[in-house]
Amino acid sequence: MNTFQKNESKETLFSPVSIEEVPRRPPSPPKKPSTKICGSNYPLSIAFIVVNEFCERFSYYGMKAVLTLYFLYFLHWNEDTSTSIYHAFSSLCYFTPILGAAIADSWLGKFKTIIYLSLVYVLGHAIKSLGALPILGGQVVHTVLSLVGLSLIALGTGGIKPCVAAFGGDQFEEKHAEERSRYFSVFYLAINAGSLISTFITPMLRGDVQCFGEDCYALAFGVPGLLMVIALVVFAMGSKMYNKPPPEGNIVAQVLKCIWFAISNRFKNRSGDIPKRQHWLDWAAEKYPKQLIMDVKALTRILFLYIPLPMFWALLDQQGSRWTLQATRMNRNLGFFVLQPDQMQVLNPLLVLIFIPLFDLVIYRLVSKCGINFSSLRKMAVGMILACLAFAIAAAVEIKINEMAPAQPGPQEVFLQVLNLADDEMKVTILENENNSLLIESIKSFQKTPHYSKLYLKTKSQDFHFHLKYHNLSVYTEHSVQEQNWYSLFIREDGNSISSMMVKDTESKTTNGMTAVRFVNTLHKDVNITLSTDMSLNVGEDYGVSAYRIVQRGEYPAVHCRTEDENFSLNLGLLEFGAAYLFVITNSTNQGLQAWKIADIPANKMSIAWQLPQYALVTAAEVMFSVTGLEFSYSQAPSSMKSVLQAAWLLTVAVGNIIVLVVAQFSGLVQWAEFILFSCLLLVVCLIFSIMGYNYVPVKTEDMQGPADKQIPHIQGNMINLETKKTKL
């Protein structure tokens, strides 16, 4: 879990709040007296803000938890496209806070910015939910609605991200600094509670509830949308209680202008006759005050260390994409509970709440007692190494999954299985020289070949000739196949003769973790099969073959079927994750109507519990890297530059998601190799970061104190102190 993502304390609490653009500015108007909670020093208005944040985070992470599987199963995009769009959306969510901060600090103020962009947020959820209704249009309509909805959600969540926590801090009087710090701890808990609960519940709404005969994505998106409506209503209800400071200017824009003026001024004065200046930022002295230039110089030292950071986020944010896709190919039955693949993400916020106090109160103290100087930069480097190990484990798990999966046919190859539906054993021979030794033994009645046989083609498509020998009958038949496909050859009695039927199996020998079934009807009348309350299918008479249908994993002891003149039930048994089953409906003289069950694709065998080590390692990496990184950054930068640092930190997250997008679209690697690639890249980046950190000379806090520090708005200083207090939660 991205710490600036699910640990909202690092995403929101250090927001780009108002900072003076020049050393002198008019003082803020005095705060009006606020109603307190039960006679305490806590303003009643913060209750509305905390509830708003809980609902908003539930809304965001609940929607995002099911997003990758929505792309894969509902929009039928491939895994690479699903991953790319997921990370493009995540990246946009971390670019838009810059826009939201600029609007709040330079134009509308925090309150109006939150209200207006929350309306955009709600509209995005509504459009996204409509895009998940199967009855509303086709593939193009669903895709357009989804992309428009996600764009609006990204603008909404990113726009209010830098405003909500800072607006809560504005509600406190300066003399209640301790209460303000405690408020931020409660705010942080509300964030993680919303993330934790929603990541667990919305996958259940998607997978355990059926609507329109398939997973209910409309409900899984609609409930988070409803929570966002509640968040907006609750926030608006406290309007008369809020202290609403006016816009005070955006320091991020001021820093960018200062840097741009220094560069352009240096370029204009590049003549050798003009005296050189000690630092390139000194070329901004003609327009900007000395204190601002000194602060920007200190800021650039920190930003230089930020250059390698995006690679860490590239790995961390794949929990919701690549790791979720990996979970679809695993056995999710834990015995006492059956997990949805997107529910594994709940481990991240849960482990974060456990690891933060564990590291602060136990591990770091033990390391310190051992006499080891475990500095902030060393903690960040160790966090990178842990993330590398997590992806190495993910690669090992992926390799093991592939070993258990069916083989894939290559160019000029097909896989064939023979199913004997006749009453006695049969001999099948392929007449082509390259393949005539494949089916040596006779195939007994209602016995499939033990495995798919690989046939070699001379061209991309080819006609195969088969010799069928049954009792005294000898029949020659011909069937056409195309390369890189799977086929089933059904052989049956046809009066006094025998005949065969070639059926193409699944396009790809994988069900993407879903459970699929199809039926062959040997009866002389059509059969209607009811698989669930809103899913039924008709199978034609005389060896009609149905298409594959996706069903829920579970026991199916009595599936209702009917023909034109009778009703009956079929026992399909246990249908497991990732398997594709073929059921042949027969009417036996001794046993009556029954279904012969064959697993075209074997079930997922590797338990999803094998993902626990990689989640534990990557969450430990996040705690060591993200929390420590922000503490270090804020301790090294001047007070006036705190909001600029948060903007830069968010940008590193955005760039990290872009890296994943590029690799997913253009690497062309198999999944385990891609995991290894990311692990190796981060290891190289860790080495570079370690060298940069080794040469970095830390700045003492007292060295950065200056007159400008005393002019920082009250909320900024307390938000700086929050990070240290929060990590001891």
Side-chain angles (χ1 to χ4, degrees):
M1 180 185 72
N2 184 329
T3 313
F4 248 139
Q5 178 178 336
K6 294 204 175 178
N7 294 336
E8 198 78 8
S9 57
K10 298 171 278 282
E11 173 183 80
T12 320
L13 302 184
F14 302 100
S15 53
V17 294
S18 53
I19 301 292
E20 58 192 9
E21 293 190 12
V22 293
R24 294 180 177 271
R25 64 173 175 82
S28 300
K31 294 183 179 180
K32 60 183 180 182
S34 56
T35 306
K36 307 296 182 182
I37 299 177
C38 300
S40 67
N41 292 323
Y42 294 93
L44 181 61
S45 56
I46 66 170
F48 295 92
I49 297 173
V50 170
V51 173
N52 163 270
E53 186 65 12
F54 170 83
C55 295
E56 190 274 327
R57 291 293 86 187
F58 186 109
S59 167
Y60 175 73
Y61 289 113
M63 178 277 303
K64 196 175 180 184
V66 301
L67 194 57
T68 299
L69 298 189
Y70 168 77
F71 294 151
L72 186 69
Y73 296 145
F74 189 88
L75 296 182
H76 304 293
W77 294 346
N78 60 40
E79 292 189 358
D80 289 340
T81 302
S82 301
T83 300
S84 298
I85 300 301
Y86 175 90
H87 287 282
F89 169 70
S90 298
S91 179
L92 187 59
C93 289
Y94 287 99
F95 276 118
T96 50
I98 310 301
L99 176 62
I103 293 174
D105 289 344
S106 304
W107 181 25
L108 295 177
K110 299 183 188 72
F111 176 77
K112 289 184 179 179
T113 300
I114 294 171
I115 290 291
Y116 294 157
L117 291 183
S118 291
L119 291 172
V120 174
Y121 203 160
V122 170
L123 179 62
H125 270 298
I127 295 175
K128 187 76 190 69
S129 300
L130 290 175
L133 289 172
I135 59 174
L136 188 64
Q139 175 85 3
V140 175
V141 174
H142 293 150
T143 301
V144 171
L145 289 175
S146 297
L147 295 180
V148 172
L150 288 175
S151 300
L152 294 177
I153 290 172
L155 176 59
T157 187
I160 68 175
K161 194 187 302 291
C163 302
V164 179
F167 186 69
D170 288 338
Q171 308 310 307
F172 290 86
E173 300 175 35
E174 183 62 30
K175 60 185 178 181
H176 298 145
E178 184 177 352
E179 286 82 359
R180 182 162 57 225
S181 292
R182 290 176 183 169
Y183 151 75
F184 282 120
S185 294
V186 175
F187 189 88
Y188 167 75
L189 287 176
I191 291 160
N192 280 274
S195 169
L196 187 68
I197 296 172
S198 66
T199 309
F200 184 78
I201 289 179
T202 50
M204 296 174 65
L205 297 176
R206 173 196 62 79
D208 296 342
V209 179
Q210 295 284 295
C211 53
F212 307 103
E214 54 189 64
D215 284 355
C216 201
Y217 289 98
L219 180 64
F221 290 137
V223 170
L226 178 62
L227 264 292
M228 189 57 221
V229 173
I230 295 174
L232 175 58
V233 171
V234 169
F235 184 77
M237 286 172 59
S239 176
K240 295 182 179 179
M241 303 181 191
Y242 296 139
N243 174 55
K244 305 172 184 175
E248 298 170 318
N250 191 295
I251 187 63
V252 177
Q254 190 69 15
V255 169
L256 294 176
K257 290 178 182 177
C258 178
I259 293 174
W260 174 251
F261 181 81
I263 295 173
S264 59
N265 194 32
R266 176 67 184 91
F267 182 76
K268 292 176 183 177
N269 297 279
R270 61 185 182 275
S271 172
D273 299 333
I274 300 176
K276 294 183 178 180
R277 301 186 184 182
Q278 187 176 8
H279 194 280
W280 62 272
L281 277 169
D282 292 333
W283 290 95
E286 285 83 351
K287 184 175 181 181
Y288 292 94
K290 182 179 180 181
Q291 184 62 47
L292 177 63
I293 296 174
M294 291 175 61
D295 290 350
V296 175
K297 288 179 183 179
L299 174 70
T300 55
R301 298 177 71 246
I302 306 297
L303 295 184
F304 178 70
L305 289 176
Y306 277 15
I307 294 175
L309 303 193
M311 184 53 66
F312 178 83
W313 302 119
L315 274 69
L316 196 70
D317 276 0
Q318 291 188 55
Q319 296 170 77
S321 56
R322 291 302 200 193
W323 285 14
T324 297
L325 294 173
Q326 184 185 72
T328 64
R329 300 189 294 275
M330 305 180 78
N331 189 337
R332 307 191 295 276
N333 183 11
L334 300 178
F336 59 91
F337 188 76
V338 177
L339 278 174
Q340 298 293 338
D342 34 5
Q343 275 181 317
M344 282 299 288
Q345 299 173 62
V346 79
L347 283 174
N348 190 263
L350 180 62
L351 290 175
V352 163
L353 293 177
I354 296 172
F355 282 175
I356 285 180
L358 176 65
F359 276 72
D360 278 337
L361 302 178
V362 180
I363 296 177
Y364 291 157
R365 293 187 180 184
L366 288 176
V367 172
S368 178
K369 287 183 178 181
C370 293
I372 300 174
N373 179 21
F374 207 23
S375 65
S376 296
L377 293 177
R378 289 177 181 176
K379 291 176 185 177
M380 294 177 68
V382 171
M384 290 182 177
I385 294 173
L386 291 178
C388 293
L389 293 176
F391 265 69
I393 293 176
V397 170
E398 189 71 22
I399 291 172
K400 195 64 178 177
I401 292 173
N402 292 341
E403 289 177 357
M404 297 180 177
Q408 306 291 317
Q412 296 187 356
E413 293 177 355
V414 296
F415 283 171
L416 173 71
Q417 67 173 349
V418 180
L419 304 174
N420 179 11
L421 306 184
D423 291 334
D424 203 350
E425 67 178 26
M426 184 176 302
K427 177 69 176 175
V428 180
T429 306
I430 304 175
L431 300 182
E432 274 71 21
N433 293 331
E434 299 87 348
N435 303 296
N436 57 12
S437 61
L438 293 178
L439 303 173
I440 299 175
E441 298 183 4
S442 298
I443 304 172
K444 295 181 180 179
S445 177
F446 284 89
Q447 173 199 344
K448 69 181 286 290
T449 47
H451 54 78
Y452 277 84
S453 299
K454 183 187 292 186
L455 305 184
Y456 298 94
L457 284 64
K458 296 178 181 177
T459 57
K460 290 185 177 181
S461 62
Q462 183 176 329
D463 293 335
F464 278 97
H465 299 83
F466 298 88
H467 177 214
L468 312 178
K469 189 172 183 181
Y470 179 68
H471 293 170
N472 296 324
L473 293 174
S474 183
V475 176
Y476 292 89
T477 183
E478 178 182 330
H479 295 285
S480 179
V481 296
Q482 292 183 332
E483 66 174 357
Q484 295 183 298
N485 282 303
W486 292 259
Y487 292 91
S488 293
L489 180 65
F490 294 92
I491 304 173
R492 60 190 176 93
E493 288 186 86
D494 190 4
N496 295 325
S497 182
I498 54 173
S499 61
S500 61
M501 175 176 61
M502 184 76 80
V503 176
K504 188 178 181 180
D505 292 349
T506 54
E507 290 291 335
S508 175
K509 213 59 181 170
T510 175
T511 61
N512 287 324
M514 306 292 281
T515 304
V517 296
R518 63 172 176 165
F519 295 86
V520 175
N521 177 21
T522 67
L523 307 181
H524 299 300
K525 40 194 158 187
D526 294 350
V527 177
N528 180 270
I529 304 170
T530 303
L531 294 170
S532 64
T533 54
D534 51 2
M535 182 191 300
S536 62
L537 68 155
N538 284 297
V539 188
E541 62 183 5
D542 294 326
Y543 295 89
V545 182
S546 73
Y548 280 101
R549 300 297 294 270
I550 301 299
V551 297
Q552 291 290 303
R553 178 262 181 198
E555 291 277 357
Y556 289 79
V559 174
H560 179 72
C561 305
R562 73 173 187 273
T563 62
E564 59 185 10
D565 54 5
E566 67 175 318
N567 294 326
F568 60 95
S569 296
L570 294 176
N571 180 10
L572 305 186
L574 176 63
L575 305 184
E576 279 286 7
F577 290 117
Y581 297 97
L582 168 68
F583 293 95
V584 181
I585 303 173
T586 62
N587 190 0
S588 171
T589 305
N590 298 328
Q591 300 178 341
L593 291 166
Q594 61 179 0
W596 177 39
K597 181 180 179 180
I598 303 168
D600 284 346
I601 303 175
N604 297 342
K605 297 178 182 178
M606 193 165 187
S607 173
I608 200 171
W610 285 103
Q611 280 196 324
L612 286 172
Q614 64 199 56
Y615 270 97
L617 280 173
V618 84
T619 306
E622 176 186 359
V623 171
M624 295 191 72
F625 180 90
S626 186
V627 175
T628 307
L630 276 171
E631 282 187 292
F632 171 78
S633 302
Y634 278 67
S635 69
Q636 296 295 295
S639 297
S640 61
M641 295 293 112
K642 307 300 183 183
S643 58
V644 185
L645 270 180
Q646 194 244 3
W649 188 272
L650 291 175
L651 287 177
T652 64
V653 181
V655 174
N657 279 275
I658 292 177
I659 292 174
V660 183
L661 187 158
V662 172
V663 172
Q665 280 297 308
F666 302 109
S667 71
L669 298 173
V670 294
Q671 191 54 68
W672 68 265
E674 186 179 292
F675 285 153
I676 293 294
L677 172 65
F678 276 110
S679 183
C680 293
L681 286 175
L682 183 58
L683 194 61
V684 172
V685 167
C686 178
L687 179 62
I688 296 172
F689 179 78
S690 299
I691 296 173
M692 294 167 64
Y694 180 79
N695 293 318
Y696 179 82
V697 179
V699 178
K700 296 181 180 180
T701 306
E702 55 268 20
D703 295 338
M704 292 186 294
Q705 300 298 322
D709 295 335
K710 299 179 181 179
Q711 300 171 15
I712 302 301
H714 69 275
I715 179 61
Q716 188 74 12
N718 283 278
M719 293 172 71
I720 297 165
N721 296 335
L722 167 66
E723 181 65 24
T724 303
K725 294 186 178 183
K726 188 273 302 172
T727 58
K728 303 198 185 307
L729 183 66

